Amino acid sequence: MTDALLPAAPRPLEKEGDGYFRKGCNPLAQTGRSKLQNQRAALNQQILKAVRMRTGAENLLKVATNQKVREQVRLELSFVNSDLQMLKEELEGLNISVGVYQSAEEAFTIPLIPLGLKETKDVDFSVVLKDFILEHYSEDSYLYEDEIADLMDLRQSCRTPSRDEAGVELLTTYFLQLGFVESRFFPPTRQMGLLFTWYDSLTGVPVSQQNLLLEKASVLFNIGALYTQIGTRCNRQAQAGLESAVDAFQRAAGVLNYLKETFTHTPSYDMSPAMLSVLIRMMLAQAQESVFEKICLPGIQNEFFMLVKVAQEAAKVGEVYQQLHAAMSQAPVKENIPYSWASLACVKAHHYAALAHYFTATLLMDHQLKPGEDEDHQEKCLSQLYDHMPEGLAPLATLKNEPQRRQLGKSHLRRAVAHHEESVREASLCKKLRDIEVLQAVLFAAHERSRLKYAQHQADDDLLNLIDAPDIVSKTEQEVEITLPQFSKLAVTDFFQKLGPLSVFSANKRWTPPRSIRFTAEEGDLGFTLRGNAPVQVHCLDPHCSAALAGAKEGDYIVSIQGVDCKWLTVSEVMKLLKSFGEDEIEMKVVSLLDSTSSMHNKSATYSVGMQKTYSMICLAIEDEDKTYKTKKITKKLSFLSWGTSKNRQKSASTLCLPSVGVSRPQIKKKLPSPFSLLNSESSLY
């Protein structure tokens, strides 16, 4: 009867193929993007080596007193700094390798900038998590080898996500899974001995931390970076592709904004608030650029109102890129932002400002107000095109006066040509931009178009009739905005749900080891009631009943009955199970939640290298909670080391693994290991 009663939760995870989560791309695939990431990883290692050499040279320079030694160190230091600068330029070259990320469709458009994925080192969770499961949860850690392997496989897959929604889902799944892992295994006042290392995507400098904050922040950054790669990959020759690009860049801005507001003290410079603010601006600028391309895609009709709309849209794109370039030129961002990015932002600011003036000139010079046309509408559009008309000109009078229209139009053409010349000059100053052929072709074609149109209308008396063309008011029919991430829409199952409900069985709560209570129901009366909902608690305990005499206490959590796991069972299911035994003896395992005043974290008054010195106080507290079992024989567990890796789900034994399983042995009170031996052991460190 007990075999037929299964817990209502957790449900077993359904495996699809070879795992319950999507795998990443093949890391050995020789695609353009994978080659770039491999080059990025190699550069990161070279930068790490150079940084270590520079640090050593600087330390030697501080302590050296011999003048010859100091001169030699200074010489070596100059060489190392030169190498670092060259490596940084190589990394910048990877960051501006926009051609690899663009759509495969032939397009005569200016490339968009994607973000490269942050690289990381391997992390072995197996030893530390197994030790913590045995120490903290008093469970056999070998039962969780598959779950730990799943976690490590998921992390490995996240290093090579596919460039689509499946890749975003993979990274989001790992990010949400880290929330469960942090609650289960990372107490707030204790270091677990796991070292997470991530490389700065802009400088290549490694950053390491022993908590999950860096890991979670870096995964978020990669989600945003993946959205930028999806946006640049969209087909910009189709309406649906441009709409997808706008959406992807807005989502990238949303993820980066969430990262900036949630993780405010990340040590990696590419995730600093100042840098993230600039990256958010860049994503929104590229989204606005995609909006402009979407409007122009069907073709720009040589019609007055259409030209007004396109001119203001172009002015809007130029304005946001001008603001982006100004933000990139400010300290401290200026020191680490790729020079090619800042140059491209400046090029686009001038390019789209030139387009705005060109379209304005076209509507003034190619269209004349004819009888019967909507004078009021054209007058209103022209007045809204400027903050103020040039001195001596009125909108309606200018529309009716052909010479005035032509003169104002030529002044706009002069400004368009000047902006085009500035964009070409800026692009020529940056070596990386000079190598992007499509960019050079677009800039040259736009410049030539404006120059030829001006040459067609140029007259000898132009210098005598100069009119300063006013700035064009920016306006857009689709204002881009940040799209916040919707993490709640993705259902993720906790890998370690077998440990019990997270509200009780978490890293920041402590309880006694499981106690075995043997009792019988006297005349159908258990002697207590139940309350709560997964896990169920003992309530209204009769002090004279069989369960109380066997050691049950008010408020105990029931974790198993006759070997059936009850941590996820409801009150009705547990009561049904208890009554199913009739008057037979029942073996029930319970745990008592320790009061916060007796927890390890609050009992510790002194810290040494991040470790608590008062660990013995917890052992005393546990013994006080379990006085009735002092006479029981305590069998000392044997421990052994295993240096195996977890790749391909190879089983690696914990340093605190229990001995042989499946052998009948007396009920044992599990002894907590010393936290010093746990965290100082080399097998526990990454």
Side-chain angles (χ1 to χ4, degrees), residues 372-391:
E373 290 187 343
D374 191 350
E375 296 182 2
D376 293 339
H377 193 188
Q378 287 197 14
E379 179 187 10
K380 182 179 179 181
C381 285
L382 185 61
S383 62
Q384 291 179 350
L385 193 61
Y386 306 124
D387 278 332
H388 59 277
M389 290 290 293
E391 186 177 355

Side-chain angles (χ1 to χ4, degrees), residues 381-584:
C381 285
L382 185 61
S383 62
Q384 291 179 350
L385 193 61
Y386 306 124
D387 278 332
H388 59 277
M389 290 290 293
E391 186 177 355
L393 299 182
L396 185 57
T398 302
L399 289 172
K400 292 182 177 180
N401 190 320
E402 182 179 350
Q404 284 187 2
R405 290 175 64 131
R406 185 178 295 109
Q407 287 298 326
L408 184 57
K410 285 194 287 187
S411 68
H412 279 291
L413 279 178
R414 282 195 294 270
R415 289 199 63 179
V417 171
H419 278 297
H420 280 308
E421 290 175 348
E422 188 63 22
S423 67
V424 172
R425 188 186 71 85
E426 284 287 341
S428 65
L429 292 177
C430 179
K431 180 180 181 300
K432 306 298 182 183
L433 297 186
R434 290 199 302 267
D435 296 337
I436 303 177
E437 295 181 0
V438 66
L439 173 63
Q440 298 294 331
V442 170
L443 296 180
F444 175 79
H447 181 210
E448 191 68 11
R449 181 178 60 179
S450 296
R451 191 186 63 79
L452 289 176
K453 191 172 185 65
Y454 181 73
Q456 291 173 1
H457 296 84
Q458 189 175 14
D460 294 337
D461 61 344
D462 281 349
L463 294 177
L464 302 176
N465 298 287
L466 289 178
I467 300 176
D468 290 333
D471 292 331
I472 298 168
V473 176
S474 62
K475 184 180 178 182
T476 179
E477 68 176 19
Q478 182 181 346
E479 191 79 39
V480 297
E481 56 187 11
I482 290 173
T483 301
L484 297 177
Q486 302 290 329
F487 295 132
S488 58
K489 290 186 177 180
L490 182 62
V492 176
T493 305
D494 181 8
F495 282 159
F496 300 92
Q497 58 182 352
K498 288 193 303 183
L499 291 172
L502 195 55
S503 58
V504 175
F505 298 98
S506 63
N508 60 354
K509 293 185 179 180
R510 297 192 62 82
W511 48 89
T512 62
R515 309 191 309 275
S516 182
I517 309 297
R518 296 179 180 273
F519 67 98
T520 57
E522 301 172 357
E523 298 180 356
D525 183 14
L526 295 172
F528 58 86
T529 59
L530 303 176
R531 70 174 180 182
N533 186 19
V536 172
Q537 288 182 278
V538 174
H539 185 53
C540 297
L541 178 66
D542 182 356
H544 303 292
C545 70
S546 175
L549 296 176
K553 298 179 181 179
E554 182 79 15
D556 280 349
Y557 289 98
I558 301 176
V559 294
S560 70
I561 299 174
Q562 293 291 100
V564 177
D565 191 345
C566 298
K567 290 193 286 288
W568 285 97
L569 295 184
T570 62
V571 169
S572 58
E573 290 171 331
V574 173
M575 185 59 71
K576 180 179 179 182
L577 179 59
L578 287 170
K579 290 185 176 180
S580 66
F581 295 102
E583 296 186 357
D584 295 339

Side-chain angles (χ1 to χ4, degrees), residues 333-382:
V333 176
K334 182 180 179 180
E335 303 299 325
N336 290 291
I337 199 78
Y339 173 69
S340 52
W341 288 8
S343 297
L344 186 57
C346 184
V347 167
K348 289 189 176 185
H350 286 293
H351 175 72
Y352 284 103
L355 291 183
H357 285 287
Y358 173 81
F359 291 126
T360 303
T362 302
L363 71 89
L364 287 170
M365 302 173 72
D366 293 359
H367 297 276
Q368 297 188 15
L369 190 61
K370 298 178 181 178
E373 290 187 343
D374 191 350
E375 296 182 2
D376 293 339
H377 193 188
Q378 287 197 14
E379 179 187 10
K380 182 179 179 181
C381 285
L382 185 61

